[in-house]
C-alpha cells in the first residue's frame, strides 16, 4: 500500500466560518491525500460528530442529533477548527469534544490569524494537539499525521485488548460448564461402620486368650517330666 493510499484512510473534519479559509484548508488537506469534510460552524461540527450543542445545558435532550445516522459510518480521525467563530468558538468546540466520552480521543487542532500566547496556552492545556497560525501552510499539515496514527493505533490496541478479554471470559465460562461437579462425601457411618458389641467383646478377650495360650505352651510335658515328684515323706528312725 502506497503512502498516499495509507493517508487517504484518514478523515479530517475542517471547521471555519470564512469560506476563503475553509476552501484553502480543504485544498491543502486534499493535496496531502486526506479525506475532508468542511462545515462553517462549531454547532454543525458537533452535529456531524453526533453531538447536540445543548447536551450539557439540557440533560433531558438526547445527545445524538437526528442527522447522526447519516454520518455515523464516517470515522473522523482529526478535527481542525478556526478559533474565532461566531456563536461557538474553536475553544468551545474543543472543550465539548474533550468532554464527550465517545469523542475525547479525536485529535483537535486550532487555527487562528492572531498570535496570542495566552490563547495558545489555554487551547493546548484544554487538550489541543497543535495551534497553527494562519495562513496554514502545507508544512504545518505534515504535523497532523503522527497525531492521527497515534490515535488510530491506540484504538486498534483497545479493540484487540477488548477482544482478548471477551475471549478469556468465554473460555472461563466454558471451563466452568465442562468441569465435573464434586460428589457429596459419604456419611462416616457408611465408609467406616461402627463395630458391634460382640466384636468389641471379642477384641477385649483376644489379648487374654493369647496370654493364656502362651502360658500353656510354656508348661510342656517335657518340663513336667524333669520336675521332681514327691509321693510322700520318709522318716528314718
Amino acid at each position: 500500500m502506497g503512502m498516499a493510499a495509507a493517508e487517504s484512510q484518514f478523515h479530517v473534519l475542517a471547521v471555519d466560518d470564512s469560506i476563503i479559509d475553509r476552501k484553502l484548508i480543504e485544498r491543502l488537506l486534499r493535496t496531502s491525500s486526506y479525506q475532508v469534510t468542511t462545515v462553517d460552524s462549531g454547532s454543525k461540527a458537533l452535529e456531524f460528530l453526533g453531538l447536540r450543542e445543548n447536551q450539557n445545558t439540557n440533560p433531558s435532550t438526547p445527545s445524538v442529533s437526528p442527522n447522526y445516522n447519516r454520518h455515523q459510518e464516517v470515522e473522523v480521525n482529526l478535527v481542525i477548527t478556526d478559533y474565532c467563530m461566531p456563536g461557538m468558538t474553536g475553544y468551545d468546540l474543543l472543550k465539548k469534544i474533550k468532554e464527550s466520552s465517545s469523542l475525547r480521543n479525536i485529535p483537535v487542532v486550532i487555527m487562528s490569524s492572531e498570535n496570542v500566547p495566552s490563547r495558545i496556552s489555554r487551547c493546548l492545556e484544554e487538550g489541543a494537539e497543535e495551534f497553527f497560525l494562519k495562513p496554514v501552510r502545507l508544512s504545518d499539515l505534515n504535523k497532523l499525521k503522527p497525531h492521527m496514527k497515534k490515535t488510530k493505533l491506540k484504538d486498534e490496541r483497545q479493540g484487540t485488548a477488548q477482544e482478548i478479554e471477551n475471549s478469556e471470559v468465554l473460555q472461563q465460562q466454558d471451563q466452568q460448564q465442562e468441569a465435573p461437579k464434586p460428589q457429596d462425601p459419604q456419611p462416616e457411618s457408611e465408609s467406616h461402620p461402627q463395630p458391634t458389641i460382640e466384636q468389641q467383646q471379642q477384641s477385649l478377650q483376644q489379648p487374654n486368650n493369647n496370654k493364656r495360650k502362651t502360658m500353656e505352651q510354656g508348661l510342656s510335658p517335657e518340663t513336667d517330666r524333669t520336675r521332681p515328684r514327691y509321693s510322700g515323706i520318709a522318716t528314718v528312725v
Side-chain angles (χ1 to χ4, degrees):
M1 180 180 295
M3 183 65 68
E7 292 174 3
S8 64
Q9 295 179 351
F10 294 116
H11 179 216
V12 179
L13 175 62
V15 188
D16 202 316
D17 63 308
S18 169
I19 186 171
I20 298 176
D21 291 341
R22 193 166 62 248
K23 290 295 183 181
L24 174 61
I25 191 65
E26 179 181 5
R27 182 166 60 86
L28 291 175
L29 289 168
R30 293 192 185 279
T31 301
S32 300
S33 300
Y34 294 120
Q35 299 180 26
V36 186
T37 297
T38 60
V39 292
D40 60 4
S41 67
S43 59
K44 289 184 180 180
L46 290 179
E47 181 180 358
F48 185 86
L49 294 171
L51 297 179
R52 283 186 180 273
E53 181 180 352
N54 61 346
Q55 68 171 8
N56 293 331
T57 58
N58 189 1
S60 62
T61 304
S63 60
V64 179
S65 67
N67 294 330
Y68 178 59
N69 292 332
R70 185 177 57 187
H71 305 295
Q72 62 180 350
E73 296 181 358
V74 180
E75 180 183 5
V76 176
N77 303 111
L78 184 138
V79 175
I80 184 167
T81 177
D82 185 27
Y83 184 91
C84 295
M85 294 186 296
M88 180 187 297
T89 66
Y91 177 76
D92 295 333
L93 176 60
L94 169 67
K95 287 187 61 177
K96 289 184 177 296
I97 291 175
K98 295 306 177 182
E99 290 171 356
S100 170
S101 58
S102 59
L103 302 177
R104 64 180 57 171
N105 289 332
I106 298 178
V108 179
V109 174
I110 306 294
M111 305 177 293
S112 178
S113 57
E114 300 177 0
N115 187 1
V116 181
S118 60
R119 179 183 299 176
I120 297 173
S121 299
R122 185 171 60 168
C123 291
L124 295 177
E125 291 174 357
E126 190 62 36
E129 303 292 342
E130 300 284 350
F131 196 105
F132 294 155
L133 293 177
K134 292 183 177 182
V136 177
R137 296 167 294 181
L138 193 60
S139 59
D140 293 328
L141 298 186
N142 292 333
K143 301 177 183 179
L144 303 181
K145 285 183 287 186
H147 300 302
M148 287 186 283
K149 289 180 179 179
K150 180 177 64 176
T151 303
K152 195 164 188 176
L153 181 61
K154 182 179 179 181
D155 293 340
E156 291 175 354
R157 287 178 178 175
Q158 289 178 346
T160 302
Q162 186 64 37
E163 291 177 1
I164 294 175
E165 182 179 354
N166 294 338
S167 177
E168 291 177 350
V169 171
L170 292 175
Q171 186 176 2
Q172 291 177 358
Q173 292 176 352
D174 293 339
Q175 291 176 353
Q176 291 176 357
Q177 293 177 356
E178 294 176 359
K181 295 181 178 180
Q183 298 180 355
D184 297 334
Q186 296 182 354
E188 185 178 356
S189 59
E190 296 181 4
S191 57
H192 301 286
Q194 296 291 337
T196 62
I197 297 177
E198 295 178 357
Q199 291 175 341
Q200 293 178 357
Q201 292 177 350
Q202 292 177 1
S203 176
L204 294 174
Q205 293 175 359
Q206 187 68 27
N208 295 331
N209 293 337
N210 293 337
K211 184 176 181 181
R212 183 181 302 172
K213 185 176 180 181
T214 302
M215 294 177 64
E216 291 178 353
Q217 289 178 353
L219 298 176
S220 62
E222 295 179 356
T223 305
D224 294 340
R225 285 196 299 268
T226 59
R227 181 181 301 176
R229 297 177 180 272
Y230 299 93
S231 58
I233 301 176
T235 305
V236 176
V237 177

